[in-house]
Every structure is written in C-alpha cells, then in structure tokens.
Amino acid sequence: MSQDHCPLIIAIDGPAGAGKSTVAARLAARFGLLNLETGAMYRAFALKALTQGLDPGNADALEQLAAGTQIQLLPTPSGNRVLLDGEDVTARIRQPEVTYAASQVSVHPAIRRWMVDLQRQLGAKGGIVMEGRDIGTVVFPHADIKIFLDASPEARSERRYAQSGGAGSQQAVLQEIRERDERDRTRAQSPLRPAADAVVIDSTSLTLDEVVAKIEALITARMAAR
Ligand code: DC
C-alpha cells in the first residue's frame, strides 16, 4: 500500500478553536483521507431548529424534527459542504446564533444517537479523518489514531478573533468559548474529554506546522507497524 493512501480511521477531538478543522484538512490532503467535520452536522440541525422557531432545550420537539431531517456531509478539498434537506447551508451554519444553538441541541441524547449513527455510516469504510468532540470516545472507539487537540481558552479566542478579521471584541469571543467549553464538557451524554488512549496535544504554544508534523509522525509510525 502506498503511504499516501490508507484505510485508517483518525479521530480528532477537542474544544472549539483548538485548530481541529485546519489540522484535519491538512492530514486529509497529505494522506488521501476524507475529512469529515461532525460539528457541521450539529450546526445544520441547529439551523433547522432555529428556522422553525423551536426551543433548543425542547428535547421532544427536537427529536420529532430530527425524524424528518436529512443531513449530508460532502467532503471537498476546501472543506465540508453541508446539505440540510438537500439545501446547501455551508455558509449559514457559521453564523454566531447557529454556533450557540449547535452547542445547545447537542446535549440531547436522542439527537446524539441519531448523529452518531450517521457518522458511523459515513466513516464505515475507513480512510477518514473525523473531527468533533466524541469521535474517539463514542463514534469510533476503535479508531487507529486518536488525537485530543487542546489549547488554552485565551489562545483559542485569539485565533478565532484573528480568523474573524477583528469583528466584535476578543473578550466576547473568549466569553463565548468559555461558555461553549462548559456546556460541551459537562453535558451528561458523551461530554468532551480525551479518550483513555488518545494522544493529547496542547497547541497553545505550537504552530500549525508543528501540530501537523506531530500527528503525521504518529500516522506514519502506525502505518509502518501494520
Ligand atoms: O466543532 P464545532 O464548533 O463546529 O461544533 C459545534 C457544536 O456541536 C459544539 O459546540 C458541540 C457540538 N458537537 C458535538 O457535540 N459533538 C461533535 N462530535 C461535534 C460537535
């Protein structure tokens, strides 16, 4: 098997703003893997709930809504395109109110079960790098490589603020990140935490290239050991 193609399953979990998407995209390009961004699926569902005026805390209403909802993730070299009931919502799911609602709808066990099923189907053939919050712990507990990518809240808010081109205030971004961290880490169902066998990388004082190089070395070693 060539080194550029492998049926591996690589799980990348971690909090908002740790750099998961950028790192996953780089690894996907390097090793010829599909890059699947599971946060985009929760975001698409949250967008539908918002559009229909549903309370993101109403588990029963959300479960009913999910039963009539189709979410597709289409990996492309420039990131995932997301279709919600056939409509491309790739840009709309990045709006701040959708970000907030995605964190709220994702606490509900029925919604998580539905998403986890979809994600397992998407990744069933392997050859993927899947990023999210519970990939190494729940979605693919037997993933070949599990990374938990972390960084201090300050570093993450600084990066997010820079990416936004200086929109709003960095203090507000930090506050949003802290709230989302709290909800993602303390929810009862599959809270954000490193899997016991995950490699934890703290990227606070690492460059993107350094993070990618560390993970590339792990993947290369894993492939050589097969
Ligand atoms: O990665 P992101 O910021 O696009 O994720 C949006 C929200 O979705 C995040 O606050 C938590 C939730 N999420 C989750 O609960 N499980 C995942 N595997 C991915 C995202």
Side-chain angles (χ1 to χ4, degrees):
M1 184 177 300
S2 96
Q3 197 184 325
D4 290 332
H5 294 280
C6 57
L8 293 177
I9 295 183
I10 298 170
I12 303 192
D13 292 303
K20 301 185 298 293
S21 303
T22 317
V23 168
R26 289 266 299 264
L27 295 172
R30 164 72 177 80
F31 292 98
L33 304 167
L34 290 180
N35 174 17
L36 298 164
E37 216 185 306
T38 59
M41 301 169 77
Y42 287 94
R43 286 170 179 271
F45 181 62
L47 172 64
K48 184 161 178 181
L50 284 178
T51 309
Q52 302 214 351
L54 289 189
D55 171 5
N58 186 337
D60 290 341
L62 291 175
E63 195 174 345
Q64 274 184 27
L65 185 68
T69 300
Q70 210 201 7
I71 292 173
Q72 289 163 279
L73 212 49
L74 309 176
T76 78
S78 56
N80 284 185
R81 277 181 59 223
V82 189
L83 303 187
L84 172 62
D85 297 325
E87 187 192 344
D88 191 326
V89 293
T90 310
R92 288 172 69 199
I93 60 168
R94 298 294 154 190
Q95 293 163 353
E97 60 272 28
V98 179
T99 302
Y100 191 76
S103 174
Q104 291 179 306
V105 300
S106 69
V107 304
H108 301 294
I111 301 306
R112 300 204 69 82
R113 281 195 297 275
W114 169 54
M115 290 288 180
V116 168
D117 275 354
L118 284 175
Q119 290 155 9
R120 286 184 179 149
Q121 286 168 30
L122 283 172
K125 291 197 185 119
I128 58 161
V129 48
M130 186 174 275
E131 54 121 330
R133 304 290 190 285
D134 58 345
I135 312 306
T137 49
V138 177
V139 181
F140 287 114
H142 303 298
D144 298 281
I145 294 189
K146 299 181 187 180
I147 306 293
F148 190 88
L149 189 57
D150 210 346
S152 71
E154 290 75 16
R156 291 186 282 126
S157 65
E158 225 171 82
R159 292 174 195 164
R160 277 281 150 99
Y161 184 65
Q163 276 165 4
S164 74
S169 82
Q170 194 184 326
Q171 200 52 38
V173 178
L174 177 60
Q175 178 63 22
E176 188 262 326
I177 278 191
R178 283 194 198 282
E179 276 176 31
R180 214 141 65 92
D181 278 2
E182 171 72 10
R183 201 167 23 242
D184 292 350
R185 288 183 205 264
T186 59
R187 67 178 172 230
Q189 178 99 0
S190 17
L192 171 66
R193 61 174 175 80
D197 51 351
V199 176
V200 178
I201 299 179
D202 185 333
S203 73
T204 306
S205 46
L206 296 177
T207 64
L208 176 65
D209 285 344
E210 287 169 332
V211 173
V212 172
K214 272 181 188 283
I215 305 176
E216 278 186 3
L218 291 170
I219 297 174
T220 306
R222 178 68 205 231
M223 285 164 67
R226 283 185 148 201

